[in-house]
Every structure is written in C-alpha cells, then in structure tokens.
C-alpha cells in the first residue's frame, strides 16, 4: 500500500537544531525551568535561547527579552507561560517562523466552554501560520539520541535516556511519564517520548504515524482516552502495519452504545470499547489492559524478535514450574506440543533422570553437568522445532556458585537459534538479570507474565502477516428512508436487493389474507406482527411458529393483532408478515452499528434470543472482505457449532462470510443514512445450503434540522 507523507513539522519538533524556551525560569525546580535544566544536563548540542524579559541570564545562559530578539529562527519553542499570555506567544512563534511549539499550561478545553474557545483560537492561529502545535495541557516531548528533552516530566529527574528504540506517545502526560519511569526501571531505554495533552494541534495518531516511519523505533507504546479523528488513527496504524512496527496500545474509557441500544441488540453488543478492540485487531495492534502488560511487551519487542508461530518448548528444573507454564500457555493459546520420537530418545540419552518430552523437567542432576542444559535446549530447538522456548530456573541464576555457568550453558544451547525468542523465568539481582539479557535472553520473574509476553509477540506477528483490507468508499445512491423507524418489511425491501437472502413472505392486513398468503407461501409458516415500534417482537409474543393450515393462519392473525393491541396500544401496526419456515440450521446474529468516531462497525455472533445473554461476538471496523469475515467467525465461541461440534453437520461458513461482506459493504455505502442494521437470527444451513435471514431491523440515523 502507499505510505502517506509524514506530517509537517514533526522532524523539527523531535530533532530540533535550536530551541527557544519562552518564559524560561532561572529556577530549575519550576515547571518553566525544568526543560532548560534537562536540556543542559542531557548535553543538548543545538542552540538554546531562554526568553525572559526580566533577566539578562537564565541558568547561566544569555537570555533574550522576546522571541523576536532571538538571533535565529528556532525549530521549536517550549512555552512555559500562563494561559493569559499564550495567544501572544503563539502569534510570536508564527511571526518568527518557528516550526513547532509546545504549550505546557493547563486551563483550556478541560475546564469548560470558555477554555475550549481559547484553545480553539490558539489552534487556529497555529494552523493558519503553519506552526506544529503540541498541547496545551501537555508535558512536552523528548528525543534522547539528540539530547532534546523538551519536557518538565519528573520521569526524567534521575536520568535522561541516552537513546533506545522504544517510543512512548500518550495523551496523558502523567501516564506517559509513569510509563517512561517503569521502562527505565526495567532497563528499557526510551528513545522518543511525547505527551499530546488536549491535542489542539497534534494528536496521538499523528505521533504514531511519524514514529512508525522512523528507522530507530522498534516498538510504539501508546495511551489514549479518546480519539478525535478516526481517519488519522487508521492511517497511522496502517503505516505501522506496513512497516511492521509493533504498536502496544492502552485505550481506556468505555461507554454504552447510546439510545440506539433500546432498539437493537447490535447497538448494545457493539459498544465503543468493542470498536477499539476491533480496530486494533484489524491493524495488528496489541491492546494492553494493564501498564505492566504494556511494559512487559515493550521489553520483549525491543529485541526485534517475533516468533514464527505459537509452538512453545518448556524446560524446567522442577515439574511444578512446568505445570504452571503449561497452564499459562493454554490460557494464552500457545501450543506446548509434544516432541517427536527421535527427540524424546535424544533426551533420554542426554539425561536419563529427566523427563523426555515437552515440557522437559531436567531435575537437579544437571547441576553436576551443565552440558545437560545445553543439550536439552539444542534438542528443543533443533528437533522439536519450537518457535520459542521458555526455561524456568527459579533463583538458581542468582547463585554465586551456579549463576554464570547456567548462563553459559543456556547460551551454548541456543547459540544457533538466536532468531527465536528464548525466555527465562528467574529471580536474581538486577546486575545478574542484565547479564542474562546481554547474553540475548528475555527475563521475567513470573511464569504468567513470560507466557503472556510470548502470546503478545505471536499476536503481533500474526497481525503483520494479515494483509489490510482496502476501505470501501461510501456510495452515492440515496436510500428512500421516509420514516424515523423501519418495520421488518421495509428492512427487507432495502436489504434484499443488496444481496441479503430472506425466506419468501407476504404482508397481510386481514385474517382471510393471512389464510390465503399462508397457502401460497407453503405450510408450515411463521407469522409475525409488523410494526416500526416493535423491534423485539418476541417480547410481546409477536411471533408464532409452525402454523400448519389456513384456518390456523386466520386464527393466529387475530391472536397477534389482539395481543399487540393489549401489550402496546401505541404501536403503529402495519399488518402481519406470513413467511415460509426456514430449514433448520445454526442461529447467528449479524449486524452493523454506526460508531460516532469510526463509522460503520460489523458484528457477528451467537444469535437468536441468546444474543445479549452470551455476548459472544466478533467485531470489525468498516467493510470486510471474505478472509477477514472468516477470521471474525472463527473468533466467536459459537464457531464450534458451525464446524461439526459433537457430530453436528458442518455449516456453510463461506455463505455466512459472504453475508458479512454484503452487509458491511451496505453499511459503509449508506453510512450517512443508517445507524443500525441487524439480522437476527440468521440461520446457517449445512455446507452448500447457504444462509437465511429470518428477521431484519434497520434504524435510520437521526435527522438533523438544517
């Protein structure tokens, strides 16, 4: 795919040749003085221009009374002024031709409408002047390799990173600083760091985009509470996917689907949080649920090794730890496959007292002969052909007696397989852990964390291997949506021509008409009340199955209309739908919801009345192709019912995938008109028998007055 150009001004912002600090304080402990202090301590080699109209020098540097007085045009301006002075400061930056500006001050959109108006004014000034703006209410940014530390975050109080391959981008400066601090404690050197704050000019997506283009970035850690521009985020993730740059994203905050949930199972099942899950899955992004998970995976990704698959070898010094690792592997979908016969024979020959399969418990005998460990690892990789091997060595590596010898033994056994991640579970002093890491191993102090990291690496690899599906542009043809709510008959009229299959049916308005229609359609029939006000007809007894003859059809017409009049006298009843009974099959739900940020979202899951009870759904953003549709179906727990569970016939998964393609394309083509499409249930027949939508709901988007 074509890589879009990098956003303007980012190079100047992250790798500036000159920096102006507007409002610079002589006190390195103040917010307006910390960035200058950090820059000097880090050995920044570019030009530094403190701007302070009350002092001749600031922290030992010549100060300038105004930005205009600075002898050159700075690449970036760090603005440490209070909010009332910022309009003039941003205007001065534009007049000077500054490439990027960082606003630290708070008191803008986060405070209410007045603050939002001020923030919008600042953003407009910057945009019209071609100034790349960061903030307001942000902690700035950093590029370690160039010594540029344009932040006041206390994460860098103790030391400044010297230049690693991990990048951090966070809406929250406090969280971003916390993440950088934890990375430093873990021995991860952060090379790029940026806080976007209120995102008046630069958002997380633009930073991810630019960072993904940098050759010295191996993994991007991102944090966001919300997204302003769905298109920018999707474009950024597409660039990361194309360049195989792992993105480990912490997206916080969930919300309900809003008012449409009252009408649609889909809307209640596909809330905002599920949309982010879908988006990240599509683009191969790993969604971290905890900060520890984010740091653990950054640590693993920083080596640049992604396993080819999920086959995991396990080597332990105790059977109990092997059980722990196997349990964790099962939870995370890793395959602790057994060894082939020749490999088992080799293990028996190497270590008769140990076990001869995967997991391999070496017992304690190897302490007298370290070559047993070397040979065991070699057999695991060479003959077991595992994609990664995890070894559990408790606290033994910390032993002055054994520690160095253990490391050397493992190193020899894995020397020919350094293209695969070898993970060690162990407890040891920091300097000992570092020595094992320097030897090429990933080290974790807990079995669950070690296996979770390998799962994350495997997910990232799998995501990179999946091609991105080209988006479908919205259609130009308009639908005839004259009503604010559409009954099932109207939904059929819209969806049928688009390719959604429905059983033969007729709408009737009298008992005699019901008897005649049922005879034409063919017994037994299904009869359903038709009303735009009753999206869930079963809740009032508005559906009757197995109507066997004409008299029964006439009687059921009367029952349905009377029942509806009693339960919902306000409902607008269009009549009764008489439909042919579908052949038996597996029931699923297929639906779309128009997310306010990302647009149409497609969903498939366990159907019928159990849809909301089991909440077993898979989701994607936008239109899907057949391959992506099949991956969606495979993600649901109900997938087993479609693939011959307990002797059931295999269902027509291809036909279901084609239905997902059809419905998602329809939703995208009419994104500005339709809020929700729901087919529930859809009956999936046996292989070759296709699918049939038994009920349909279409909710138009709310109309706005001009």
């Amino acid at each position: 795919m074509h890589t879009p150009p990098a956003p303007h001004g980012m190079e100047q912002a992250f790798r500036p040749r000159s920096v102006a600090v507007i409002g610079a304080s002589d006190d390195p402990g103040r917010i307006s003085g910390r960035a200058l202090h950090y820059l000097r301590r880090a050995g920044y080699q570019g030009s530094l221009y403190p701007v302070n109209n009350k002092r001749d020098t600031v922290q030992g540097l010549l100060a300038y009374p105004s930005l205009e007085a600075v002898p050159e045009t700075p690449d970036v301006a760090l603005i440490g002024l209070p909010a009332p002075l910022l309009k003039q400061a941003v205007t001065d930056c534009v007049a000077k031709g500054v490439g990027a500006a960082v606003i630290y001050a708070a008191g803008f959109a986060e405070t209410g409408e007045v603050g939002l108006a001020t923030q919008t004014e600042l953003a407009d000034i910057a945009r019209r002047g071609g100034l790349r703006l960061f903030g307001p209410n942000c902690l700035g940014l950093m590029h370690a390799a160039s010594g540029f530390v344009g932040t006041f975050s206390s994460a860098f109080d103790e030391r400044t990173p010297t230049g690693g391959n991990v990048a951090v981008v966070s809406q929250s400066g406090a969280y971003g600083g916390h993440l950088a601090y934890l990375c430093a404690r873990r021995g991860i050197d952060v090379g790029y760091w940026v806080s976007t704050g209120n995102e008046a000019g630069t958002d997380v997506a633009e930073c991810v985009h630019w960072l993904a283009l940098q050759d010295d970035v191996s993994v991007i850690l991102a944090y966001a509470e919300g997204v302003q521009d769905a298109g920018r985020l999707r474009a950024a993730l597409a660039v990361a996917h194309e360049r195989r740059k792992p993105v480990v994203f912490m997206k916080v905050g969930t919300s309900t689907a809003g008012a449409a949930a009252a009408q649609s199972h889909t809307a209640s099942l596909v809330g905002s949080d599920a949309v982010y899950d879908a988006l990240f899955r599509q683009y191969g992004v790993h969604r971290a649920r905890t900060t520890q998970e984010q740091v653990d995976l950054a640590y693993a990704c920083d080596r640049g090794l992604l396993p080819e698959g999920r086959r995991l070898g396990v080597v332990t010094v105790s059977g109990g730890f092997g059980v722990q690792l196997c349990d964790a592997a099962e939870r995370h979908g890793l395959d602790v496959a057994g060894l082939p016969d020749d490999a088992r024979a080799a293990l028996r020959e190497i270590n008769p007292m140990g076990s001869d399969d995967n997991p391999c418990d070496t017992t304690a005998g190897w302490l007298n002969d370290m070559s047993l460990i070397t040979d065991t690892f070699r057999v695991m990789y060479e003959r077991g052909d595992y994609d990664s091997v995890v070894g559990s060595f408790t606290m033994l590596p910390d032993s002055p007696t054994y520690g160095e010898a253990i490391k050397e033994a493992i190193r020899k056994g894995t020397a020919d397989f350094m293209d695969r991640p070898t993970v060690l579970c162990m407890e040891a002093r920091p300097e000992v852990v570092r020595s094992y890491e320097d030897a090429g191993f990933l080290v974790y102090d807990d079995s669950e964390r070690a296996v979770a990291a390998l799962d994350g690496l495997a997910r990232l690899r799998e995501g990179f291997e999946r091609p991105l599906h080209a988006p479908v542009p919205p259609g130009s043809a308009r639908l005839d949506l004259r009503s604010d709510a559409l009954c099932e008959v109207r939904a059929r009229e819209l969806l049928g021509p688009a390719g959604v299959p429905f059983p033969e049916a007729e709408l009737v308005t009298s008992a005699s008409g019901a008897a005649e229609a049922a005879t034409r359609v063919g017994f037994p029939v299904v009869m359903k009340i038709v009303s735009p006000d009753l999206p869930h007809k079963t809740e009032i007894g508005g559906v009757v199955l197995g109507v066997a003859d004409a008299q029964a059809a006439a009687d059921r017409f009367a029952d349905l209309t009377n029942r509806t009049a009693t339960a919902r006298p306000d409902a607008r009843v269009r009549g009764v739908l008489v439909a042919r009974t579908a052949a038996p099959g597996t029931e699923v739900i297929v639906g779309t919801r128009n997310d306010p940020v990302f647009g149409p979202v497609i969903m498939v899951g366990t159907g019928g009345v159990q849809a909301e009870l089991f909440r077993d759904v898979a989701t994607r953003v936008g239109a899907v192709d057949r391959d992506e549709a099949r991956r969606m179906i495979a993600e649901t727990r109900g997938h087993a019912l479609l693939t011959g569970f307990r002797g059931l016939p295999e269902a027509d998964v291809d036909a279901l995938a084609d239905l997902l393609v059809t419905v998602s394309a329809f939703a995208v083509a009419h994104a500005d008109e339709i809020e929700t499409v729901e087919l529930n249930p859809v009956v999936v027949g046996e292989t070759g028998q296709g699918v049939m939508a038994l009920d349909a709901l279409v909710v138009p988007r709310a109309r706005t007055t001009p």
Side-chain angles (χ1 to χ4, degrees), residues 98-173:
V98 174
V102 177
I103 298 177
Y104 297 140
F108 294 92
E110 77 278 10
T111 65
E113 291 186 7
V114 174
L116 175 60
T118 304
Q119 177 177 305
T120 302
E121 185 178 19
L122 294 177
D124 288 343
I125 294 170
R127 185 177 59 256
R128 289 195 302 267
L131 175 69
R132 165 68 61 179
L133 192 65
F134 291 83
N137 190 26
C138 79
L139 270 63
L141 62 162
M142 178 208 72
H143 176 230
S146 63
F148 174 60
V149 191
T151 175
F152 63 89
S153 173
S154 59
F156 308 110
D157 261 347
E158 184 176 347
R159 61 179 288 273
T160 303
T162 56
N165 295 321
V166 175
V168 174
V169 51
S170 175
Q171 281 181 342
S172 165

Side-chain angles (χ1 to χ4, degrees), residues 595-618:
D595 183 82
V597 176
F598 292 100
V601 179
I602 181 74
M603 176 268 287
V604 64
T606 301
V609 295
Q610 298 92 353
E612 286 189 67
L613 175 64
F614 294 120
R615 307 188 71 83
D616 172 29
V617 298

Side-chain angles (χ1 to χ4, degrees), residues 6 38 47 78 82 133 286 306 388 406 495 559 565 590 602 636:
Y38 284 159
S47 302
L78 308 177
L133 192 65
H286 183 94
L306 300 180
S388 56
I406 293 172
L495 296 170
D559 292 344
V590 171
I602 181 74
T636 64

Side-chain angles (χ1 to χ4, degrees), residues 390-459:
V390 58
S392 180
F393 288 88
T394 68
M395 70 294 184
L396 286 168
D398 202 38
S399 165
T401 304
Y402 300 115
E404 191 64 28
I406 293 172
K407 180 180 68 179
E408 184 62 17
I410 301 172
R411 189 195 63 77
K412 288 181 179 178
T414 59
D416 294 333
F417 308 97
M418 299 303 290
D419 59 337
R420 313 179 201 185
T422 298
V423 180
L424 303 179
C425 295
M426 53 183 265
E427 284 283 358
R429 289 160 290 162
E431 61 270 23
V432 174
V433 170
R434 281 195 297 274
S435 73
Y436 273 74
E437 291 171 338
D438 290 343
F441 307 121
L442 297 172
V443 179
Y444 292 87
D445 61 4
D446 177 77
S447 299
E448 185 74 23
R449 290 171 61 189
V451 174
L454 285 171
D455 173 33
L457 293 177
R459 287 178 185 271

Side-chain angles (χ1 to χ4, degrees), residues 352-694:
M353 302 301 294
S355 60
D356 64 352
D357 206 350
N358 186 31
C360 179
D361 175 13
T362 62
T363 69
W366 60 272
L367 291 173
N368 294 323
D369 182 1
M370 292 288 176
S371 69
L372 299 183
I373 288 296
T374 297
D375 293 340
T376 298
F377 271 93
R378 184 176 292 120
V379 167
M380 282 287 183
Y381 273 131
E382 196 171 73
R383 302 196 187 187
D385 196 29
Y386 294 112
D387 300 302
S388 56
V389 173
V390 58
S392 180
F393 288 88
T394 68
M395 70 294 184
L396 286 168
D398 202 38
S399 165
T401 304
Y402 300 115
E404 191 64 28
I406 293 172
K407 180 180 68 179
E408 184 62 17
I410 301 172
R411 189 195 63 77
K412 288 181 179 178
T414 59
D416 294 333
F417 308 97
M418 299 303 290
D419 59 337
R420 313 179 201 185
T422 298
V423 180
L424 303 179
C425 295
M426 53 183 265
E427 284 283 358
R429 289 160 290 162
E431 61 270 23
V432 174
V433 170
R434 281 195 297 274
S435 73
Y436 273 74
E437 291 171 338
D438 290 343
F441 307 121
L442 297 172
V443 179
Y444 292 87
D445 61 4
D446 177 77
S447 299
E448 185 74 23
R449 290 171 61 189
V451 174
L454 285 171
D455 173 33
L457 293 177
R459 287 178 185 271
L460 289 167
R461 162 78 73 172
E462 291 158 1
F464 291 144
E465 298 302 326
R466 291 196 299 268
L468 297 181
H469 175 53
V472 174
S476 57
R478 303 285 297 182
L479 296 175
D480 182 15
L481 303 178
R482 292 184 293 267
S483 172
D484 292 332
L486 305 181
C487 66
E488 180 183 349
V489 171
R490 186 73 185 99
R492 281 169 163 253
E493 291 172 352
L494 294 173
L495 296 170
V500 176
F502 292 100
E504 181 184 351
E506 294 184 27
L507 178 66
V508 299
T509 56
S510 67
S512 60
E516 294 168 1
T519 301
R520 287 191 295 270
V521 168
F523 297 105
V525 297
V526 176
M527 297 179 64
K528 298 183 280 186
I529 201 73
V530 176
S531 169
D533 303 315
L534 299 173
H536 305 312
K537 296 178 278 290
T538 56
E539 294 178 359
I540 65 160
V543 178
V544 179
L545 306 177
V547 180
D549 55 48
Q551 184 58 53
D555 293 343
R556 297 296 81 76
F557 179 91
D559 292 344
L560 287 169
T561 53
N562 291 336
R563 195 176 297 156
T564 303
T566 301
R568 285 289 306 274
D570 60 319
R572 295 167 291 174
V573 176
R574 304 288 190 246
V576 171
L577 191 69
V578 179
R580 175 177 294 171
T581 299
T586 303
E587 291 188 354
V588 302
I589 180 173
V590 171
T592 70
R593 178 175 86 82
N594 211 324
D595 183 82
V597 176
F598 292 100
V601 179
I602 181 74
M603 176 268 287
V604 64
T606 301
V609 295
Q610 298 92 353
E612 286 189 67
L613 175 64
F614 294 120
R615 307 188 71 83
D616 172 29
V617 298
T619 311
R620 294 292 189 274
V621 175
V624 297
D625 60 14
R626 199 186 210 202
D627 289 340
E628 194 65 34
R630 288 186 66 93
R631 282 190 286 269
M632 288 177 65
I633 297 165
E635 287 172 13
T636 64
R637 293 189 298 275
H639 178 246
L641 299 174
L642 301 170
T643 55
F645 179 73
R646 290 183 178 265
L648 291 173
E650 291 193 11
D652 201 336
V653 174
D654 285 340
L656 178 56
D658 290 339
L659 179 63
L660 290 173
V661 173
T662 296
V663 174
S664 66
F666 178 85
V668 169
H670 302 289
D672 60 342
E673 301 171 84
I674 291 177
E675 186 68 36
T676 303
V677 173
E678 183 176 302
L679 306 174
N680 184 33
V682 172
V683 172
V684 186
E686 296 181 21
T687 301
Q689 293 184 358
V691 297
M692 194 67 69
L694 303 191

Side-chain angles (χ1 to χ4, degrees), residues 8 10 26 31 53 71 94-95 108 111 202 270 281 308 358 410 454 462 474 477 490 499 502 516 592 673 701 705:
H8 81 278
M10 298 294 274
D26 194 53
I31 289 176
N53 60 8
V94 170
F108 294 92
T111 65
T202 304
V270 187
R281 190 174 293 111
E308 291 288 341
N358 186 31
I410 301 172
L454 285 171
E462 291 158 1
R490 186 73 185 99
F502 292 100
E516 294 168 1
T592 70
E673 301 171 84
R701 298 195 71 176
T705 55

